[in-house]
Amino acid sequence: MVEAKHLATFIIEPVGGDIMNPDTYLVRKRFQDTETTTSYANNAFSAALQQISTDFCESASSVGCRIWLKNGLYEIDQGPDTNGGLVEWSTEAEGDHVSVFIEGETRDGCIIRNIETAPEETPTSRIFLVRCTFDLKNLTMNGGGDLGITGTLNGINSFGTAISNEIRVDNCRFLNFEGNCVSTGDDAKKMIITNSVFEAGVGDHGMVDLGADDLSIVRNCVFDKTTGDDEGSCITSAGGDNMFIQHNAVIKGNGTMFDGFGISLE
């Protein structure tokens, strides 16, 4: 059993007169009996997260960490990772024993927005390339389509893993993505999406791609693709097992029957 004192706790906050246009980001870390504070430039949020991943998610003894983001705008671009993610959480070899939990202060007040125009390995790029168990809660992820940024950038994506990880998203909002908002590969074990909003997709991809997961749950969500491209589905799957799509208030696709669907189970 992993004791709580062995998990790193990070609090990240924007600093400056306007939290939606911060001067710097302050990262406070408490690990076991040590506390440290590090300041990052306002264009180094990607680097700050990648450093956390390197320190706490990429060794044989890693167990992961918990990150709390205070309200504000966190602009993210291509950081040190060059494996197809703006930030890569864990590695293919170590991910099966690592867990990362990222939580925002309030869903609509804490925004991670992509500003990268040419991410590595386009079109398979992701804001978060996940190779471990990953929880995202209580924040907004913006793919940058409202800034005029194009290119197939995904939100959370775990394709290419060689482990059975789990992806859990709760009370989040995804908008303006050219690619998938959340997707998993054939090796993913479980994906649970609850109480979240998906809207304004600008590309011809699905919003939530359940891949071929062993268990998928999509519950109490809102999907609205009517303002985006006329292709792609709100929810899609490539042959997964045990899929539960329940109590979703709105599922609105766009286009003709051959262009876009609300739900597409292939």
PDB file of all heavy atoms in Angstrom, residues 185-204:
ATOM      1  N   GLY A 185      -6.253   4.000 -26.265  1.00  0.00           N
ATOM      2  CA  GLY A 185      -5.810   2.990 -27.210  1.00  0.00           C
ATOM      3  C   GLY A 185      -6.269   1.610 -26.816  1.00  0.00           C
ATOM      4  O   GLY A 185      -6.956   1.411 -25.814  1.00  0.00           O
ATOM      5  N   ASP A 186      -5.852   0.616 -27.587  1.00  0.00           N
ATOM      6  CA  ASP A 186      -6.306  -0.753 -27.369  1.00  0.00           C
ATOM      7  C   ASP A 186      -5.862  -1.314 -26.022  1.00  0.00           C
ATOM      8  O   ASP A 186      -6.458  -2.253 -25.510  1.00  0.00           O
ATOM      9  CB  ASP A 186      -5.787  -1.664 -28.485  1.00  0.00           C
ATOM     10  CG  ASP A 186      -6.414  -1.337 -29.823  1.00  0.00           C
ATOM     11  OD1 ASP A 186      -7.434  -0.639 -29.823  1.00  0.00           O
ATOM     12  OD2 ASP A 186      -5.882  -1.765 -30.853  1.00  0.00           O
ATOM     13  N   ASP A 187      -4.785  -0.770 -25.452  1.00  0.00           N
ATOM     14  CA  ASP A 187      -4.264  -1.305 -24.203  1.00  0.00           C
ATOM     15  C   ASP A 187      -4.915  -0.686 -22.965  1.00  0.00           C
ATOM     16  O   ASP A 187      -4.621  -1.096 -21.852  1.00  0.00           O
ATOM     17  CB  ASP A 187      -2.750  -1.084 -24.122  1.00  0.00           C
ATOM     18  CG  ASP A 187      -2.026  -1.850 -25.216  1.00  0.00           C
ATOM     19  OD1 ASP A 187      -2.268  -3.058 -25.329  1.00  0.00           O
ATOM     20  OD2 ASP A 187      -1.260  -1.232 -25.963  1.00  0.00           O
ATOM     21  N   ALA A 188      -5.737   0.309 -23.145  1.00  0.00           N
ATOM     22  CA  ALA A 188      -6.365   0.948 -21.992  1.00  0.00           C
ATOM     23  C   ALA A 188      -7.336  -0.023 -21.324  1.00  0.00           C
ATOM     24  O   ALA A 188      -8.035  -0.793 -21.975  1.00  0.00           O
ATOM     25  CB  ALA A 188      -7.094   2.211 -22.407  1.00  0.00           C
ATOM     26  N   LYS A 189      -7.388   0.039 -20.035  1.00  0.00           N
ATOM     27  CA  LYS A 189      -8.230  -0.879 -19.269  1.00  0.00           C
ATOM     28  C   LYS A 189      -9.622  -0.305 -19.037  1.00  0.00           C
ATOM     29  O   LYS A 189     -10.618  -1.015 -19.102  1.00  0.00           O
ATOM     30  CB  LYS A 189      -7.551  -1.171 -17.933  1.00  0.00           C
ATOM     31  CG  LYS A 189      -8.312  -2.100 -17.012  1.00  0.00           C
ATOM     32  CD  LYS A 189      -7.527  -2.301 -15.728  1.00  0.00           C
ATOM     33  CE  LYS A 189      -8.255  -3.220 -14.757  1.00  0.00           C
ATOM     34  NZ  LYS A 189      -7.489  -3.371 -13.495  1.00  0.00           N
ATOM     35  N   LYS A 190      -9.670   0.981 -18.758  1.00  0.00           N
ATOM     36  CA  LYS A 190     -10.937   1.565 -18.347  1.00  0.00           C
ATOM     37  C   LYS A 190     -10.938   3.063 -18.655  1.00  0.00           C
ATOM     38  O   LYS A 190      -9.930   3.738 -18.481  1.00  0.00           O
ATOM     39  CB  LYS A 190     -11.137   1.357 -16.845  1.00  0.00           C
ATOM     40  CG  LYS A 190     -12.445   1.889 -16.276  1.00  0.00           C
ATOM     41  CD  LYS A 190     -12.451   1.801 -14.755  1.00  0.00           C
ATOM     42  CE  LYS A 190     -12.301   0.384 -14.259  1.00  0.00           C
ATOM     43  NZ  LYS A 190     -12.382   0.320 -12.777  1.00  0.00           N
ATOM     44  N   MET A 191     -12.093   3.583 -19.101  1.00  0.00           N
ATOM     45  CA  MET A 191     -12.268   5.030 -19.235  1.00  0.00           C
ATOM     46  C   MET A 191     -13.626   5.400 -18.651  1.00  0.00           C
ATOM     47  O   MET A 191     -14.652   4.831 -19.041  1.00  0.00           O
ATOM     48  CB  MET A 191     -12.158   5.495 -20.676  1.00  0.00           C
ATOM     49  CG  MET A 191     -12.287   7.016 -20.809  1.00  0.00           C
ATOM     50  SD  MET A 191     -11.542   7.713 -22.283  1.00  0.00           S
ATOM     51  CE  MET A 191     -12.676   7.131 -23.534  1.00  0.00           C
ATOM     52  N   ILE A 192     -13.630   6.326 -17.714  1.00  0.00           N
ATOM     53  CA  ILE A 192     -14.858   6.777 -17.064  1.00  0.00           C
ATOM     54  C   ILE A 192     -14.966   8.280 -17.242  1.00  0.00           C
ATOM     55  O   ILE A 192     -14.119   9.044 -16.758  1.00  0.00           O
ATOM     56  CB  ILE A 192     -14.864   6.410 -15.572  1.00  0.00           C
ATOM     57  CG1 ILE A 192     -14.744   4.893 -15.395  1.00  0.00           C
ATOM     58  CG2 ILE A 192     -16.143   6.922 -14.904  1.00  0.00           C
ATOM     59  CD1 ILE A 192     -14.641   4.448 -13.956  1.00  0.00           C
ATOM     60  N   ILE A 193     -16.007   8.734 -17.939  1.00  0.00           N
ATOM     61  CA  ILE A 193     -16.239  10.160 -18.203  1.00  0.00           C
ATOM     62  C   ILE A 193     -17.563  10.531 -17.550  1.00  0.00           C
ATOM     63  O   ILE A 193     -18.616   9.992 -17.914  1.00  0.00           O
ATOM     64  CB  ILE A 193     -16.312  10.464 -19.712  1.00  0.00           C
ATOM     65  CG1 ILE A 193     -15.140   9.821 -20.462  1.00  0.00           C
ATOM     66  CG2 ILE A 193     -16.370  11.956 -19.953  1.00  0.00           C
ATOM     67  CD1 ILE A 193     -13.794  10.395 -20.135  1.00  0.00           C
ATOM     68  N   THR A 194     -17.556  11.447 -16.586  1.00  0.00           N
ATOM     69  CA  THR A 194     -18.775  11.808 -15.879  1.00  0.00           C
ATOM     70  C   THR A 194     -18.899  13.318 -15.724  1.00  0.00           C
ATOM     71  O   THR A 194     -17.908  14.039 -15.620  1.00  0.00           O
ATOM     72  CB  THR A 194     -18.807  11.163 -14.480  1.00  0.00           C
ATOM     73  OG1 THR A 194     -17.606  11.502 -13.766  1.00  0.00           O
ATOM     74  CG2 THR A 194     -18.890   9.649 -14.580  1.00  0.00           C
ATOM     75  N   ASN A 195     -20.142  13.797 -15.728  1.00  0.00           N
ATOM     76  CA  ASN A 195     -20.483  15.177 -15.340  1.00  0.00           C
ATOM     77  C   ASN A 195     -19.694  16.228 -16.107  1.00  0.00           C
ATOM     78  O   ASN A 195     -19.343  17.278 -15.569  1.00  0.00           O
ATOM     79  CB  ASN A 195     -20.234  15.361 -13.834  1.00  0.00           C
ATOM     80  CG  ASN A 195     -20.905  14.307 -12.992  1.00  0.00           C
ATOM     81  OD1 ASN A 195     -22.092  14.024 -13.150  1.00  0.00           O
ATOM     82  ND2 ASN A 195     -20.141  13.678 -12.097  1.00  0.00           N
ATOM     83  N   SER A 196     -19.432  15.988 -17.389  1.00  0.00           N
ATOM     84  CA  SER A 196     -18.580  16.877 -18.166  1.00  0.00           C
ATOM     85  C   SER A 196     -19.312  17.417 -19.385  1.00  0.00           C
ATOM     86  O   SER A 196     -20.344  16.887 -19.800  1.00  0.00           O
ATOM     87  CB  SER A 196     -17.290  16.160 -18.583  1.00  0.00           C
ATOM     88  OG  SER A 196     -16.519  15.819 -17.444  1.00  0.00           O
ATOM     89  N   VAL A 197     -18.744  18.473 -19.972  1.00  0.00           N
ATOM     90  CA  VAL A 197     -19.343  19.157 -21.117  1.00  0.00           C
ATOM     91  C   VAL A 197     -18.347  19.139 -22.272  1.00  0.00           C
ATOM     92  O   VAL A 197     -17.170  19.492 -22.107  1.00  0.00           O
ATOM     93  CB  VAL A 197     -19.713  20.606 -20.766  1.00  0.00           C
ATOM     94  CG1 VAL A 197     -20.262  21.333 -21.989  1.00  0.00           C
ATOM     95  CG2 VAL A 197     -20.718  20.640 -19.621  1.00  0.00           C
ATOM     96  N   PHE A 198     -18.834  18.745 -23.449  1.00  0.00           N
ATOM     97  CA  PHE A 198     -18.012  18.724 -24.659  1.00  0.00           C
ATOM     98  C   PHE A 198     -18.742  19.546 -25.709  1.00  0.00           C
ATOM     99  O   PHE A 198     -19.893  19.271 -26.038  1.00  0.00           O
ATOM    100  CB  PHE A 198     -17.819  17.286 -25.153  1.00  0.00           C
ATOM    101  CG  PHE A 198     -17.145  16.389 -24.145  1.00  0.00           C
ATOM    102  CD1 PHE A 198     -17.892  15.773 -23.143  1.00  0.00           C
ATOM    103  CD2 PHE A 198     -15.782  16.165 -24.194  1.00  0.00           C
ATOM    104  CE1 PHE A 198     -17.284  14.948 -22.209  1.00  0.00           C
ATOM    105  CE2 PHE A 198     -15.162  15.347 -23.272  1.00  0.00           C
ATOM    106  CZ  PHE A 198     -15.910  14.743 -22.270  1.00  0.00           C
ATOM    107  N   GLU A 199     -18.049  20.532 -26.268  1.00  0.00           N
ATOM    108  CA  GLU A 199     -18.740  21.417 -27.200  1.00  0.00           C
ATOM    109  C   GLU A 199     -17.773  22.052 -28.193  1.00  0.00           C
ATOM    110  O   GLU A 199     -16.564  22.078 -27.988  1.00  0.00           O
ATOM    111  CB  GLU A 199     -19.492  22.519 -26.437  1.00  0.00           C
ATOM    112  CG  GLU A 199     -18.598  23.394 -25.583  1.00  0.00           C
ATOM    113  CD  GLU A 199     -19.380  24.394 -24.759  1.00  0.00           C
ATOM    114  OE1 GLU A 199     -20.355  24.952 -25.285  1.00  0.00           O
ATOM    115  OE2 GLU A 199     -19.027  24.610 -23.596  1.00  0.00           O
ATOM    116  N   ALA A 200     -18.370  22.554 -29.268  1.00  0.00           N
ATOM    117  CA  ALA A 200     -17.652  23.371 -30.250  1.00  0.00           C
ATOM    118  C   ALA A 200     -16.421  22.673 -30.804  1.00  0.00           C
ATOM    119  O   ALA A 200     -15.360  23.259 -30.930  1.00  0.00           O
ATOM    120  CB  ALA A 200     -17.254  24.712 -29.648  1.00  0.00           C
ATOM    121  N   GLY A 201     -16.577  21.384 -31.144  1.00  0.00           N
ATOM    122  CA  GLY A 201     -15.474  20.731 -31.828  1.00  0.00           C
ATOM    123  C   GLY A 201     -15.271  21.337 -33.203  1.00  0.00           C
ATOM    124  O   GLY A 201     -16.227  21.579 -33.940  1.00  0.00           O
ATOM    125  N   VAL A 202     -14.036  21.603 -33.595  1.00  0.00           N
ATOM    126  CA  VAL A 202     -13.786  22.258 -34.872  1.00  0.00           C
ATOM    127  C   VAL A 202     -13.276  21.287 -35.928  1.00  0.00           C
ATOM    128  O   VAL A 202     -13.052  21.668 -37.072  1.00  0.00           O
ATOM    129  CB  VAL A 202     -12.772  23.417 -34.710  1.00  0.00           C
ATOM    130  CG1 VAL A 202     -13.345  24.496 -33.829  1.00  0.00           C
ATOM    131  CG2 VAL A 202     -11.446  22.914 -34.145  1.00  0.00           C
ATOM    132  N   GLY A 203     -13.065  20.024 -35.563  1.00  0.00           N
ATOM    133  CA  GLY A 203     -12.513  19.057 -36.507  1.00  0.00           C
ATOM    134  C   GLY A 203     -13.476  17.951 -36.845  1.00  0.00           C
ATOM    135  O   GLY A 203     -14.618  17.915 -36.385  1.00  0.00           O
ATOM    136  N   ASP A 204     -12.994  16.998 -37.674  1.00  0.00           N
ATOM    137  CA  ASP A 204     -13.853  15.913 -38.134  1.00  0.00           C
ATOM    138  C   ASP A 204     -13.610  14.645 -37.324  1.00  0.00           C
ATOM    139  O   ASP A 204     -13.720  13.543 -37.839  1.00  0.00           O
ATOM    140  CB  ASP A 204     -13.626  15.652 -39.626  1.00  0.00           C
ATOM    141  CG  ASP A 204     -12.177  15.307 -39.949  1.00  0.00           C
ATOM    142  OD1 ASP A 204     -11.339  15.345 -39.027  1.00  0.00           O
ATOM    143  OD2 ASP A 204     -11.897  15.007 -41.124  1.00  0.00           O
TER     144      ASP A 204
END
